[in-house]
PDB file of all heavy atoms in Angstrom:
ATOM      1  N   PRO A1516      76.945 141.505 112.464  1.00 78.00           N
ATOM      2  CA  PRO A1516      78.025 141.371 111.414  1.00 78.00           C
ATOM      3  C   PRO A1516      77.898 140.072 110.569  1.00 78.00           C
ATOM      4  O   PRO A1516      77.065 139.211 110.880  1.00 78.00           O
ATOM      5  CB  PRO A1516      79.304 141.214 112.336  1.00 78.00           C
ATOM      6  CG  PRO A1516      78.836 140.666 113.660  1.00 78.00           C
ATOM      7  CD  PRO A1516      77.407 141.156 113.703  1.00 78.00           C
ATOM      8  N   LYS A1517      78.557 140.089 109.446  1.00 76.00           N
ATOM      9  CA  LYS A1517      78.626 138.962 108.601  1.00 76.00           C
ATOM     10  C   LYS A1517      77.275 138.383 108.125  1.00 76.00           C
ATOM     11  O   LYS A1517      76.930 137.193 108.309  1.00 76.00           O
ATOM     12  CB  LYS A1517      79.376 137.819 109.282  1.00 76.00           C
ATOM     13  CG  LYS A1517      80.804 138.142 109.664  1.00 76.00           C
ATOM     14  CD  LYS A1517      81.444 136.951 110.418  1.00 76.00           C
ATOM     15  CE  LYS A1517      82.833 137.381 110.903  1.00 76.00           C
ATOM     16  NZ  LYS A1517      83.439 136.359 111.687  1.00 76.00           N
ATOM     17  N   ILE A1518      76.494 139.292 107.564  1.00 78.00           N
ATOM     18  CA  ILE A1518      75.264 138.778 106.987  1.00 78.00           C
ATOM     19  C   ILE A1518      75.348 138.898 105.492  1.00 78.00           C
ATOM     20  O   ILE A1518      76.079 139.787 104.985  1.00 78.00           O
ATOM     21  CB  ILE A1518      74.017 139.537 107.511  1.00 78.00           C
ATOM     22  CG1 ILE A1518      74.057 140.979 107.235  1.00 78.00           C
ATOM     23  CG2 ILE A1518      73.798 139.239 109.054  1.00 78.00           C
ATOM     24  CD1 ILE A1518      72.731 141.785 107.656  1.00 78.00           C
ATOM     25  N   SER A1519      74.570 138.058 104.743  1.00 84.00           N
ATOM     26  CA  SER A1519      74.653 138.127 103.356  1.00 84.00           C
ATOM     27  C   SER A1519      73.944 139.404 102.753  1.00 84.00           C
ATOM     28  O   SER A1519      73.242 140.075 103.509  1.00 84.00           O
ATOM     29  CB  SER A1519      73.939 136.948 102.757  1.00 84.00           C
ATOM     30  OG  SER A1519      72.513 136.995 102.945  1.00 84.00           O
ATOM     31  N   THR A1520      74.102 139.643 101.519  1.00 88.00           N
ATOM     32  CA  THR A1520      73.476 140.791 100.841  1.00 88.00           C
ATOM     33  C   THR A1520      71.942 140.610 100.875  1.00 88.00           C
ATOM     34  O   THR A1520      71.296 141.581 101.222  1.00 88.00           O
ATOM     35  CB  THR A1520      73.900 140.866  99.339  1.00 88.00           C
ATOM     36  OG1 THR A1520      75.322 141.065  99.335  1.00 88.00           O
ATOM     37  CG2 THR A1520      73.338 142.056  98.632  1.00 88.00           C
ATOM     38  N   THR A1521      71.462 139.427 100.689  1.00 88.00           N
ATOM     39  CA  THR A1521      70.034 139.209 100.789  1.00 88.00           C
ATOM     40  C   THR A1521      69.516 139.427 102.161  1.00 88.00           C
ATOM     41  O   THR A1521      68.503 140.186 102.312  1.00 88.00           O
ATOM     42  CB  THR A1521      69.617 137.746 100.381  1.00 88.00           C
ATOM     43  OG1 THR A1521      70.131 137.455  99.054  1.00 88.00           O
ATOM     44  CG2 THR A1521      68.170 137.503 100.420  1.00 88.00           C
ATOM     45  N   GLN A1522      70.245 138.991 103.181  1.00 91.00           N
ATOM     46  CA  GLN A1522      69.772 139.288 104.626  1.00 91.00           C
ATOM     47  C   GLN A1522      69.855 140.737 104.825  1.00 91.00           C
ATOM     48  O   GLN A1522      68.993 141.292 105.514  1.00 91.00           O
ATOM     49  CB  GLN A1522      70.709 138.560 105.508  1.00 91.00           C
ATOM     50  CG  GLN A1522      70.444 136.978 105.562  1.00 91.00           C
ATOM     51  CD  GLN A1522      71.509 136.306 106.377  1.00 91.00           C
ATOM     52  OE1 GLN A1522      72.746 136.589 106.348  1.00 91.00           O
ATOM     53  NE2 GLN A1522      71.039 135.376 107.205  1.00 91.00           N
ATOM     54  N   SER A1523      70.888 141.417 104.318  1.00 92.00           N
ATOM     55  CA  SER A1523      71.078 142.855 104.597  1.00 92.00           C
ATOM     56  C   SER A1523      69.800 143.718 103.960  1.00 92.00           C
ATOM     57  O   SER A1523      69.327 144.542 104.615  1.00 92.00           O
ATOM     58  CB  SER A1523      72.338 143.302 103.990  1.00 92.00           C
ATOM     59  OG  SER A1523      72.484 144.740 104.216  1.00 92.00           O
ATOM     60  N   VAL A1524      69.459 143.253 102.804  1.00 95.00           N
ATOM     61  CA  VAL A1524      68.259 143.902 102.181  1.00 95.00           C
ATOM     62  C   VAL A1524      67.014 143.733 103.032  1.00 95.00           C
ATOM     63  O   VAL A1524      66.277 144.638 103.236  1.00 95.00           O
ATOM     64  CB  VAL A1524      68.159 143.452 100.693  1.00 95.00           C
ATOM     65  CG1 VAL A1524      66.804 143.843 100.066  1.00 95.00           C
ATOM     66  CG2 VAL A1524      69.306 143.890  99.839  1.00 95.00           C
ATOM     67  N   LEU A1525      66.898 142.504 103.468  1.00 96.00           N
ATOM     68  CA  LEU A1525      65.655 142.169 104.238  1.00 96.00           C
ATOM     69  C   LEU A1525      65.680 142.908 105.540  1.00 96.00           C
ATOM     70  O   LEU A1525      64.736 143.451 106.114  1.00 96.00           O
ATOM     71  CB  LEU A1525      65.585 140.594 104.453  1.00 96.00           C
ATOM     72  CG  LEU A1525      65.226 139.795 103.248  1.00 96.00           C
ATOM     73  CD1 LEU A1525      65.395 138.317 103.592  1.00 96.00           C
ATOM     74  CD2 LEU A1525      63.823 140.113 102.820  1.00 96.00           C
ATOM     75  N   VAL A1526      66.891 142.921 106.219  1.00 95.00           N
ATOM     76  CA  VAL A1526      67.029 143.637 107.525  1.00 95.00           C
ATOM     77  C   VAL A1526      66.720 145.169 107.398  1.00 95.00           C
ATOM     78  O   VAL A1526      65.965 145.737 108.109  1.00 95.00           O
ATOM     79  CB  VAL A1526      68.437 143.414 108.066  1.00 95.00           C
ATOM     80  CG1 VAL A1526      68.757 144.332 109.253  1.00 95.00           C
ATOM     81  CG2 VAL A1526      68.601 141.974 108.587  1.00 95.00           C
ATOM     82  N   TRP A1527      67.265 145.773 106.367  1.00 97.00           N
ATOM     83  CA  TRP A1527      67.074 147.176 106.164  1.00 97.00           C
ATOM     84  C   TRP A1527      65.637 147.453 105.755  1.00 97.00           C
ATOM     85  O   TRP A1527      64.943 148.426 106.174  1.00 97.00           O
ATOM     86  CB  TRP A1527      68.074 147.756 105.077  1.00 97.00           C
ATOM     87  CG  TRP A1527      69.352 148.108 105.703  1.00 97.00           C
ATOM     88  CD1 TRP A1527      70.489 147.388 105.643  1.00 97.00           C
ATOM     89  CD2 TRP A1527      69.596 149.285 106.531  1.00 97.00           C
ATOM     90  NE1 TRP A1527      71.476 147.976 106.348  1.00 97.00           N
ATOM     91  CE2 TRP A1527      71.047 149.186 106.843  1.00 97.00           C
ATOM     92  CE3 TRP A1527      68.953 150.330 106.897  1.00 97.00           C
ATOM     93  CZ2 TRP A1527      71.654 150.132 107.642  1.00 97.00           C
ATOM     94  CZ3 TRP A1527      69.532 151.285 107.704  1.00 97.00           C
ATOM     95  CH2 TRP A1527      70.906 151.181 108.091  1.00 97.00           C
ATOM     96  N   SER A1528      65.048 146.600 104.925  1.00 98.00           N
ATOM     97  CA  SER A1528      63.583 146.745 104.544  1.00 98.00           C
ATOM     98  C   SER A1528      62.734 146.592 105.805  1.00 98.00           C
ATOM     99  O   SER A1528      61.735 147.394 105.971  1.00 98.00           O
ATOM    100  CB  SER A1528      63.233 145.715 103.493  1.00 98.00           C
ATOM    101  OG  SER A1528      63.916 145.824 102.333  1.00 98.00           O
ATOM    102  N   GLY A1529      62.989 145.601 106.585  1.00 98.00           N
ATOM    103  CA  GLY A1529      62.216 145.415 107.846  1.00 98.00           C
ATOM    104  C   GLY A1529      62.371 146.579 108.809  1.00 98.00           C
ATOM    105  O   GLY A1529      61.367 147.038 109.395  1.00 98.00           O
ATOM    106  N   PHE A1530      63.552 147.102 108.845  1.00 98.00           N
ATOM    107  CA  PHE A1530      63.819 148.332 109.703  1.00 98.00           C
ATOM    108  C   PHE A1530      63.002 149.489 109.181  1.00 98.00           C
ATOM    109  O   PHE A1530      62.343 150.248 109.973  1.00 98.00           O
ATOM    110  CB  PHE A1530      65.280 148.667 109.786  1.00 98.00           C
ATOM    111  CG  PHE A1530      65.623 149.879 110.577  1.00 98.00           C
ATOM    112  CD1 PHE A1530      65.545 149.825 112.001  1.00 98.00           C
ATOM    113  CD2 PHE A1530      65.922 151.041 109.984  1.00 98.00           C
ATOM    114  CE1 PHE A1530      65.762 150.926 112.717  1.00 98.00           C
ATOM    115  CE2 PHE A1530      66.245 152.176 110.727  1.00 98.00           C
ATOM    116  CZ  PHE A1530      66.139 152.102 112.076  1.00 98.00           C
TER     117      PHE A1530
END
Side-chain angles (χ1 to χ4, degrees):
K1517 299 180 185 173
I1518 60 174
S1519 70
T1520 302
T1521 302
Q1522 288 171 316
S1523 181
V1524 168
L1525 291 170
V1526 167
W1527 278 100
S1528 298
F1530 179 73

